Amino acid sequence: MARIKREQDRDEKRDEIVAVARVLFIEEGYEATSISRLASTAGVAPNTIYWYFKDKDEVLVAVLDAELSARMSEYLALPAMSPAERLLWVANNLERVSRLVGTVHSRLAQSPVINTWHERFHALSEEMLRLELQQAGIAPNKIEALVKISVFTIEGLLAHPLPEEQKRAICNALVAN
Amino acid sequence: MARIKREQDRDEKRDEIVAVARVLFIEEGYEATSISRLASTAGVAPNTIYWYFKDKDEVLVAVLDAELSARMSEYLALPAMSPAERLLWVANNLERVSRLVGTVHSRLAQSPVINTWHERFHALSEEMLRLELQQAGIAPNKIEALVKISVFTIEGLLAHPLPEEQKRAICNALVAN
DNA sequence: GCAGCTTGTTGAATTCCATTCAACAGGATA
DNA sequence: TATCCTGTTGAATGGAATTCAACAAGCTGC
């Protein structure tokens, strides 16, 4: 019992740090948020972070997981839509978090934890998109390439913001054929 | 006369540093190449770099320019090809430099010089692609979206390496319609 | 109810960056 | 010959992530 109580405390504190990191990483960026800043915002000493996380990348992974599950429930609660509309929704919805997407891509070569998170995330996204396109009656032999192109396009839209008009045109063009 | 001689020397030395930086940035990465390392490889003290460049980002821009003009002449010397083949060529040819592409994307929010270089580069690439697609007889109303999608797809292929097979399938799918 | 282990927490290093500063050397200039 | 301009440098500076050794309690077995 006591042990369980302890572990609850530990997880709560960890979650608190993740909550703070989530705001800072998203609003100011991962690189711009130093461990010191994160720590002082969370009300602890810098090295305390290292009691709960191996390194800064592990904090990022925790933030990514938190953010992903939040977004995922929003997505699953979405009403019926055409694939193009869903794509546009995703592109727009991920925009708030585009800084993090860039950070993941830039760190995945150096950080194994981020690399494996990234792989899992792509596998998940592509699986969902594949299903979506199948249900929309896209020719099966076109689906694999289209899945990749769509994922790349969403990433591109996040990295290079465009006016709503063009985003819509692009999403429509993608699923038109 | 003396003045001209001096400026030649200056440019030669600068080019020497760029040549060293080009190798290091491409083979080991921008972040992994410290100014100290760059300097010692070039046979000079770390702070000497700052006599020729404002900061590390400016060194990167010089490297990018050097690399771009080298690639551009290769591209222009290419024999006749279908747009899909050209796309594949570009994707494969840029692979050696994919680390730099990632670095540009991750630094463009923080560094004005890199940001303007990036904008210029995209404007140039998109213009060339647009021309290519026009000549291939793509329906004019589809071209703008297709240009963006193609650029995003090439960036995606650089960030997420795929087997040659799939790259080819994706490039073909892009220009099929 | 006390000795000792475990879990957190911390201040103070350590190391590695990019970047700056002040001094210096040597050729060009007057 | 005296001075200036162009390069070059050794030695800071400041900030980053991360580590280390010490300390504080609470819990555990006796």
Side-chain angles (χ1 to χ4, degrees), chain A residues 99-139:
Chain A
R99 268 243 218 47
L100 246 44
V101 175
T103 300
V104 167
H105 284 138
S106 75
R107 298 207 52 69
L108 81 106
Q110 310 152 57
S111 165
V113 281
I114 297 206
N115 187 34
T116 68
W117 188 90
H118 177 253
E119 275 170 15
R120 259 203 268 277
F121 176 72
H122 267 263
L124 175 65
S125 317
E126 290 182 13
E127 186 54 35
M128 293 181 65
L129 188 49
R130 197 173 288 125
L131 218 68
E132 183 82 24
L133 296 176
Q134 277 168 5
Q135 288 175 347
I138 303 288

Side-chain angles (χ1 to χ4, degrees), chain A residues 6 10 13 44-45 47-48 51-52:
Chain A
R6 277 283 186 103
R10 182 179 168 85
K13 187 91 185 213
V44 305
N47 35 353
T48 299
W51 181 254
Y52 294 95

Side-chain angles (χ1 to χ4, degrees), chain A residues 31-48:
Chain A
E31 297 83 359
T33 304
S34 70
I35 291 284
S36 295
R37 190 143 149 51
L38 168 57
S40 72
T41 308
V44 305
N47 35 353
T48 299

Side-chain angles (χ1 to χ4, degrees), chain B residues 87-160:
Chain B
L87 238 43
L88 186 61
W89 183 91
V90 171
N92 280 330
N93 212 258
L94 253 49
E95 224 156 59
R96 231 198 66 201
V97 92
S98 65
R99 270 245 215 47
L100 245 44
V101 176
T103 300
V104 167
H105 285 138
S106 75
R107 298 208 51 69
L108 87 110
Q110 310 153 55
S111 165
V113 279
I114 298 207
N115 186 35
T116 67
W117 187 91
H118 177 253
E119 275 170 15
R120 258 203 267 277
F121 176 72
H122 268 263
L124 175 65
S125 317
E126 290 181 14
E127 185 53 33
M128 291 180 66
L129 189 47
R130 196 173 289 124
L131 217 67
E132 185 83 22
L133 295 176
Q134 277 168 5
Q135 290 175 346
I138 304 289
N141 62 323
K142 291 183 175 181
I143 284 187
E144 276 318 301
L146 190 51
V147 164
K148 297 284 186 192
I149 293 174
S150 301
V151 168
F152 293 161
T153 299
I154 288 178
E155 286 184 348
L157 287 173
L158 293 176
H160 314 85

Side-chain angles (χ1 to χ4, degrees), chain B residues 24 33-47 49-50 56:
Chain B
L24 291 175
T33 304
S34 70
I35 291 285
S36 295
R37 189 142 150 51
L38 167 57
S40 71
T41 308
V44 23
N47 36 356
I49 305 293
Y50 292 89
K56 202 183 171 187

